[in-house]
Amino acid sequence: MEHQQQIAYQRDMFIEHKQEVIGQFGNRKDVNSARTILTGQVDKETNQGRVFTRELIGIVCSAENINRAYKQVKRNKGVAGIDNIPVGNFADWFTKEGDELVNQILRGEYLPSAVKAVEISKPNGGVRQLGIPTTKDRIIQQAISQVITPICEQEFSDHSYGFRPKRNAKQAIRRASIYVAEGRQVVVDMDMKSFFDEVNHDRLMYRLSLLIQDKQLLKLIRKYIQSGVMIGGLVHQRLKGTPQGSPLSPLLSNVVLDELDKELEKRGHYFVRYADDFNIFVRSQKAGERVKESVCSYLTNKLKLKVNEQKSQVCKSSDTKFLGYTILETGMITVSNQNVVRLKKKIRELTKRNRGVSFGKVVSDLSPVLRGWLNYFHIAKCKSLLRNLDAWIRRKLRCYRLKQCKRAITLKRFLKSLGVPNWQSWILALSGKGWWRKSGCPQVHQAMNLKWFEDLGLFNLSIKYALLQN
């Protein structure tokens, strides 16, 4: 009875003061004051830098934090887990069952459901296994992440850019280009083998316990990383790794790899890390080989992680790619050849001549692909590349449209309707050339010119790139 009263008091206290506490924590610029408000004292001399974070579980379970987590998960539009309950149904469910859920979490009795295993193809071949939590677990994990992320952010390295607020891949690439421009043109390109599947649970929880002290919250996080995986209707126990696809996984990966960041900083290396993808920049091949051997040993023996020896290498910055970019020896940023090939493959799929959809549909399908690709790669120097891509895309579309005409008379009428003289239209229509050769003829360029594509709403890479540079 006394234990239940204590839980009720704890919950009422946080509900009463949640707006004040969370508001101060989120808005205060002074890091030390923020720690004092939310996490108690910091005594680095006597406690090795440990942050005394007590009773965070109450903030995690507060109505305001749960509501914010629900809105974020809903924006992410994830698929349902093993319960097949969509995110949109959570609000009604929480209205009826929310009190019992919160009480179970506060009592330490809540058990997460197994995650649903889903495989997706990797760009370079192979498959990546994702673990999709149930809607309820996804929202709880998001609620946990919202509370502990600001605490972890105070400790994370400045060289880390992945899955962090106000940090992104473009910033990582710009930092890497500065290192190369300064003369560190040799890259130790490290690749960790199945990182998310190899994370050691004990080491992860140890690193997390250095940042927070709420034992109930730590136990809940451990339950999540050890929750089973449902494959083919059977639940398999997870002994290591963190399930990709959960809101907590990105943050926990940074907690694990922050130890690597601190070690590289201590050694005085110049490096950039984005999630499990990191490059170390040195001045010579010999130094790079020495660093690679040392870091591989540290990852394997200390962090208990596997290194992909086949993909890890020491080479010139211009001979490898980082986050889809290639950095030339002058420090200039370009798009990697692999990503250009990948984009062309996607365009070929959308403009396949036997696809059987309207021409307008093909154009509308292309636009989001091209827009998304350019939004990511616009920091690269790629003006001539984009000009060539635009010309190639227009020719693919011209070929698609010509094939839709099928017969010579239909093709002649189509060209004539777009301003091509009658006799020139007949010459092309009666030609024995294939569709691709016809798409490069002057009559076709005259008919389907730049203005014609602009009126159709085709996304122009060159024009949008120029606008983004201004």
Side-chain angles (χ1 to χ4, degrees), residues 271-303:
F271 70 98
V272 176
R273 182 177 68 80
Y274 189 93
D276 59 331
D277 194 359
F278 71 99
N279 282 355
I280 305 171
F281 299 85
V282 296
R283 294 184 183 274
S284 68
Q285 184 75 18
K286 186 176 180 180
E289 297 290 350
R290 185 175 64 250
V291 169
K292 178 177 178 288
E293 182 180 355
S294 175
V295 173
C296 283
S297 175
Y298 180 81
L299 288 169
T300 304
N301 300 324
K302 187 71 180 289
L303 300 189

Side-chain angles (χ1 to χ4, degrees), residues 321-444:
K321 65 181 179 69
F322 181 48
L323 302 178
Y325 290 87
T326 294
I327 304 174
L328 303 183
E329 294 178 17
T330 60
M332 188 173 76
I333 302 169
T334 63
V335 183
S336 69
N337 292 332
Q338 295 95 319
N339 277 277
V340 175
V341 171
R342 197 177 301 157
L343 175 65
K344 284 189 170 184
K345 181 180 178 182
K346 181 64 177 178
I347 292 171
R348 286 190 181 98
E349 291 174 359
L350 294 176
T351 58
K352 201 171 182 179
R353 280 172 268 168
N354 61 355
R355 195 175 160 211
V357 298
S358 68
F359 186 74
K361 172 67 174 172
V362 174
V363 173
S364 64
D365 287 347
L366 274 173
S367 293
V369 172
L370 299 176
R371 183 181 295 108
W373 190 88
L374 184 62
N375 284 342
Y376 182 79
F377 286 108
H378 73 86
I379 65 171
K381 299 296 182 183
C382 53
K383 185 177 179 180
S384 60
L385 168 66
L386 297 182
R387 187 167 56 245
N388 292 335
L389 277 174
D390 277 330
W392 179 73
I393 291 168
R394 287 193 294 268
R395 184 165 182 182
K396 294 288 289 182
L397 290 173
R398 288 179 181 120
C399 186
Y400 188 97
R401 184 64 186 88
L402 290 180
K403 189 173 185 294
Q404 284 187 322
C405 294
K406 296 183 179 179
R407 297 187 302 162
I409 185 63
T410 311
L411 176 55
K412 174 260 176 187
R413 289 170 180 168
F414 172 69
L415 294 175
K416 187 178 179 182
S417 69
L418 294 177
V420 179
N422 189 61
W423 65 275
Q424 289 187 358
S425 299
W426 272 119
I427 289 176
L428 185 66
L430 297 174
S431 168
K433 297 177 181 178
W435 297 114
W436 180 250
R437 289 186 64 192
K438 285 181 178 179
S439 66
C441 292
Q443 299 97 315
V444 177

